[in-house]
Amino acid sequence: MSEGFPHLIDELVRAAAVEDRAFSDLLPRAMHESQGLSPAELTAVLPRMAEGVAQAPPNLGCWLAIMAGAWVERGASPEPAGLAVVEAATRVAAAAHAFATAWKEATGGDPPDPEESGPSQEIVDTVGPRIDGDPVAAMMAWFATPQFGMSAHTMLATSPLVRGAVSDRERRASAFSLLEQHCPAMGWVAGLLRVLDGERLLVLDRASRRGWTVTISGIGDNFQLHTLLGGALVGRPGGLPGDPADPRWISCFTSDDVEPGTPPVVGWWNLVDAHGAWIWNEGVPADIPALNGTRVVVLDPPAYRRSWSPGRRHPLMTATLTVEGQHTAEDLASWWPHIAPPQDPRSQM
């Protein structure tokens, strides 16, 4: 890589930070020149892009974030810019929520679509009296939410290190969730902030009283958890009897695209938590409550036949489920007295 591209990125970041009009010319140049560069060359300039994302106002920083995310999807490392993107997206989400609240108070209706419309003086005049702070900045944050949502989604989905570096994840997830109805990408970000990495689960089979310790990472929902548990335990040595998982299911629920012709997954169990409540496939592993500091999944016979489409909720995120140990009924004798019988799911409604 010549010195020309790093210099161009330096100029682009400087222009974004000071709101120089040259930004509008530099951005397409940087996009074009990046096309022929390798992932390593793009990774080399991402620390400078991270500085720009952190320093620039949201209406310009969002385009730096989008370009950084596109480079990551081409193979650049997410770590140099990932945390900066998530931090900026968090600030934007807070300002955007204030904007949406002010708009609702002023008009009684939904705010303008952040992807189908754009900033205007009329919008500033509408929310200005109800915004505690700069109404222009709040408006600009609102219209930057799609770009920051997409970029933060890419950074979080592609790197467990970025996910692990984000502090106060539940609070941030709640903040992003508030914007999901207006910007779906923010909902995806909220979901990724709740992903568990390196989390140990205790899996108990009620019928045999046996169990397994498994470690999970990068699992986006309980459809995925259920499928990977089936792949790890059913028809495997030291596991459980039954029809083993189709290898194509395991492939597409860990790292690969869905192979054409892959049939729907057929579930093996009702998943139940230690308190007897059903673990719904639509939920996420982070919803599973802990018992004595460990999340517990109890395997019960299925109440009815369940099937679901193969494929990961977050296609950019790879997943693992590793069996770390097997436990006999005798090993688990002290656990079973604390495991509740399954509840009627209607009692959970």
Side-chain angles (χ1 to χ4, degrees):
M1 178 174 61
S2 71
E3 290 299 316
F5 188 68
H7 177 71
L8 174 59
I9 294 303
D10 192 62
E11 287 297 301
L12 176 68
V13 167
R14 183 203 62 78
V18 300
E19 301 183 70
D20 189 323
R21 290 184 178 181
F23 180 84
S24 60
D25 294 323
L26 292 167
L27 182 65
R29 278 184 55 198
M31 289 179 173
H32 176 73
E33 293 191 22
S34 71
Q35 294 302 309
L37 299 180
S38 69
E41 290 171 316
L42 297 172
T43 298
V45 297
L46 278 174
R48 184 65 174 127
M49 290 285 280
E51 294 175 3
V53 169
Q55 296 167 4
N59 57 307
L60 302 182
C62 69
W63 297 111
L64 299 180
I66 276 287
M67 190 157 61
W71 294 350
V72 168
E73 292 190 22
R74 286 176 48 196
S77 171
E79 282 79 30
L83 187 58
V85 168
V86 175
E87 293 286 358
T90 302
R91 295 191 296 272
V92 163
H97 178 60
F99 173 89
T101 300
W103 184 275
K104 182 75 171 180
E105 292 174 354
T107 69
D110 290 333
D113 189 313
E115 296 189 81
E116 299 297 330
S117 56
S120 71
Q121 186 60 48
E122 180 182 358
I123 291 174
V124 173
D125 293 341
T126 300
V127 300
R130 292 170 173 81
I131 287 283
D132 184 15
D134 183 354
V136 174
M139 176 183 66
M140 292 303 186
W142 175 256
F143 286 107
T145 54
Q147 292 81 14
F148 272 111
M150 287 186 286
S151 183
H153 175 266
T154 293
M155 299 300 183
L156 290 166
T158 54
S159 175
L161 293 177
V162 173
R163 295 194 295 271
V166 178
S167 62
D168 204 3
R169 287 167 59 174
E170 284 291 342
R171 178 189 63 80
R172 293 176 194 257
S174 296
F176 285 115
S177 293
L178 293 172
L179 296 172
E180 182 175 8
Q181 63 176 314
H182 305 295
C183 179
M186 288 297 192
W188 294 115
V189 174
L192 285 165
L193 287 170
R194 301 197 68 221
V195 168
L196 304 177
D197 290 297
E199 181 82 6
R200 285 193 168 187
L201 309 180
L202 178 61
V203 181
L204 302 176
D205 177 51
R206 200 184 303 270
S208 68
R209 316 296 276 186
R210 297 164 59 215
W212 301 264
T213 295
V214 304
T215 299
I216 62 170
S217 293
I219 291 179
D221 59 29
N222 293 333
F223 289 109
Q224 191 175 9
L225 175 63
H226 192 144
T227 305
L228 295 182
L229 281 172
L233 299 179
V234 179
R236 303 292 293 271
L240 293 167
D243 295 329
D246 187 315
R248 293 171 293 180
W249 297 343
I250 306 308
S251 175
C252 70
F253 273 108
T254 51
S255 60
D256 296 329
D257 293 336
V258 180
E259 184 179 327
T262 301
V265 181
V266 178
W268 293 268
W269 310 286
N270 269 3
L271 304 183
V272 177
D273 69 28
H275 307 290
W278 284 24
I279 298 171
W280 298 99
N281 283 338
E282 293 80 2
V284 297
D287 295 331
I288 301 170
L291 177 66
N292 297 327
T294 301
R295 299 181 200 271
V296 176
V297 177
V298 182
L299 309 178
D300 279 334
Y304 51 87
R305 187 180 188 274
R306 290 193 188 93
S307 63
W308 52 90
S309 299
R312 304 187 300 285
R313 177 180 289 187
H314 302 285
L316 293 176
M317 182 168 63
T318 59
T320 60
L321 185 150
T322 305
V323 178
E324 304 286 357
Q326 303 177 32
H327 311 293
T328 66
E330 291 75 18
D331 295 334
L332 297 168
S334 63
W335 277 89
W336 282 109
H338 303 286
I339 304 300
Q343 299 174 8
D344 184 330
R346 289 172 295 184
S347 68
Q348 299 174 239
M349 301 299 184

